[in-house]
């Protein structure tokens, strides 16, 4: 079932890329496995998938331990509390959700102890919805400048979430705002900051995200099914 879902999803990604003249190699798929058991991840691994996204440190740690024999790329996509950065610093492939300087400093400090430079994305809050997470667009460049000073942190792009809505077109505005912000950052030329990735698009709106220029889509439901515990 999961292998089948992945196959269908990859086909939809390819078709969307084709439709808008992009190369499907330029869109990475992160399979969001939060709340799903190790067996589900194993099924996806069996189908050749290696990039997985998790939102909770403890859950990630447990799964990683069981799956240690597989060379997987773990992505941290949820809100990361500063005091938990140390648990994942040794191995986390990409942290999508850096939204303040104190978290950035802690990640850099912990990465340094393992002799790593940690790749991160800056999470931007692009909707009107009340949420504690994500830096406002107007404050993003200032944050990037601060983050760029950190020794063991490398900013590789931006991440955002569209609004909670059934209509994927409602996300378009958010995604365009992220693209526009990237353009501003590139033209301003913030040193040591790379804008190679835009992480945007989930099960309900990834096609719109790809049309708007997403390079990483984070998809759970379309691969693993509906979450019983519906947490974000
Ligand atoms: C849960 C989650 C996803 C995946 O959502 P689906 O709708 O199941 O595809 C993507 N990004 C973040 C940040 C999430 O928390």
């Amino acid at each position: 079932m999961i292998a089948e879902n992945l196959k269908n999803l990859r086909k939809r990604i390819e078709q969307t890329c084709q439709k808008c003249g992009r190369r499907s190699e330029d869109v990475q798929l992160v399979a969001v496995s939060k709340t799903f058991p190790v067996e589900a991840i194993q099924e996806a691994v069996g189908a050749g998938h290696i990039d997985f996204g998790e939102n909770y440190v403890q859950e990630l740690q447990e799964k990683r331990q069981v799956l240690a024999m597989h060379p997987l790329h773990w992505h941290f996509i949820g809100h990361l509390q500063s005091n938990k950065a140390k648990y994942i610093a040794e191995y986390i492939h990409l942290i999508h959700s850096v939204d303040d300087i104190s978290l950035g400093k802690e990640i850099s400090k912990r990465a340094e102890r393992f002799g790593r430079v940690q790749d991160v994305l800056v999470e931007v809050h692009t909707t009107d919805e009340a949420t504690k997470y994500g830096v406002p667009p107007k404050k993003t460049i200032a944050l990037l400048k601060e983050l760029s000073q950190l020794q063991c942190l490398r900013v590789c792009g931006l991440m955002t979430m569209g609004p909670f809505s059934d209509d994927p077109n409602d996300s378009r505005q958010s995604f365009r705002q992220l693209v526009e912000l990237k353009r501003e950052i590139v033209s301003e030329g913030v040193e040591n900051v790379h804008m190679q990735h835009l992480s945007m698009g989930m099960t309900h709106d990834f096609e719109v995200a790809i049309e708007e220029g997403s390079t990483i889509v984070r998809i759970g439901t379309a691969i693993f099914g509906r979450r019983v515990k519906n947490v974000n």
Side-chain angles (χ1 to χ4, degrees):
M1 190 63 183
I2 287 168
E4 183 80 6
N5 290 346
L6 264 170
K7 204 169 125 192
N8 290 335
L9 183 56
R10 289 201 189 104
K11 193 181 284 169
R12 279 172 73 191
I13 291 172
E14 254 169 55
Q15 284 168 345
T16 308
C17 285
Q18 227 159 39
K19 209 177 79 184
C20 57
R22 298 190 55 199
R23 304 187 322 161
S24 56
E25 308 90 90
D26 295 339
V27 180
Q28 293 178 21
L29 170 60
V30 172
V32 177
S33 44
K34 66 179 176 207
T35 79
F36 288 98
V38 164
E39 291 73 26
I41 300 175
Q42 271 162 333
E43 210 176 319
V45 172
H49 204 74
I50 63 167
D51 285 271
F52 294 91
E54 290 282 341
N55 292 47
Y56 302 98
V57 170
Q58 195 185 334
E59 184 181 343
L60 168 56
Q61 293 287 87
E62 288 167 9
K63 288 175 175 173
R64 178 175 178 263
Q65 217 162 37
V66 181
L67 294 163
M69 69 293 254
H70 302 291
L72 304 181
H73 291 167
W74 293 105
H75 295 247
F76 199 85
I77 63 170
H79 173 66
L80 180 59
Q81 288 171 270
S82 287
N83 62 357
K84 301 238 169 107
K86 57 178 178 280
Y87 299 116
I88 60 174
E90 188 175 3
Y91 65 87
I92 199 80
H93 183 69
L94 180 64
I95 299 173
H96 292 232
S97 47
V98 173
D99 62 0
D100 75 37
I101 186 62
S102 61
L103 174 59
K105 282 180 177 163
E106 182 63 18
I107 292 170
S108 178
K109 183 175 112 186
R110 297 293 172 176
E112 187 171 11
R113 296 192 183 173
F114 292 103
R116 299 183 69 223
V117 173
Q118 181 64 56
D119 284 343
V120 304
L121 306 177
V122 167
E123 179 174 357
V124 184
H125 180 194
T126 55
T127 68
D128 304 330
E129 284 161 13
T131 153
K132 290 175 289 202
Y133 308 130
V135 63
K138 282 197 171 78
K139 296 186 174 164
T140 302
I141 292 187
L143 175 60
L144 287 173
K145 285 178 178 167
E146 286 188 279
L147 292 171
S148 73
Q149 304 298 311
L150 300 172
Q151 282 294 319
C152 294
L153 193 97
R154 195 177 87 109
V155 176
C156 337
L158 307 173
M159 180 274 234
T160 201
M161 287 173 82
F164 291 100
S165 159
D166 290 335
D167 184 355
N169 273 302
D170 291 346
S171 298
R172 204 176 288 279
Q173 211 44 44
S174 281
F175 298 158
R176 286 193 177 163
Q177 202 173 351
L178 207 67
V179 171
E180 177 53 32
L181 198 51
K182 172 188 162 176
R183 202 173 289 135
E184 278 173 41
I185 293 159
V186 170
S187 81
E188 174 138 348
V190 186
E191 239 176 292
N192 293 320
V193 157
H194 309 267
M195 281 293 125
Q196 78 210 49
H197 284 303
L198 291 178
S199 169
M200 54 190 202
M202 311 180 9
T203 291
H204 75 289
D205 58 11
F206 75 87
E207 281 147 325
V208 168
I210 291 171
E211 286 166 16
E212 296 300 331
S214 171
T215 68
I216 304 177
V217 291
R218 311 175 308 268
I219 298 181
T221 309
I223 298 169
F224 298 109
R226 284 184 58 182
R227 285 179 293 277
V228 180
K229 222 175 21 165
N230 204 348
V231 282
N232 282 292

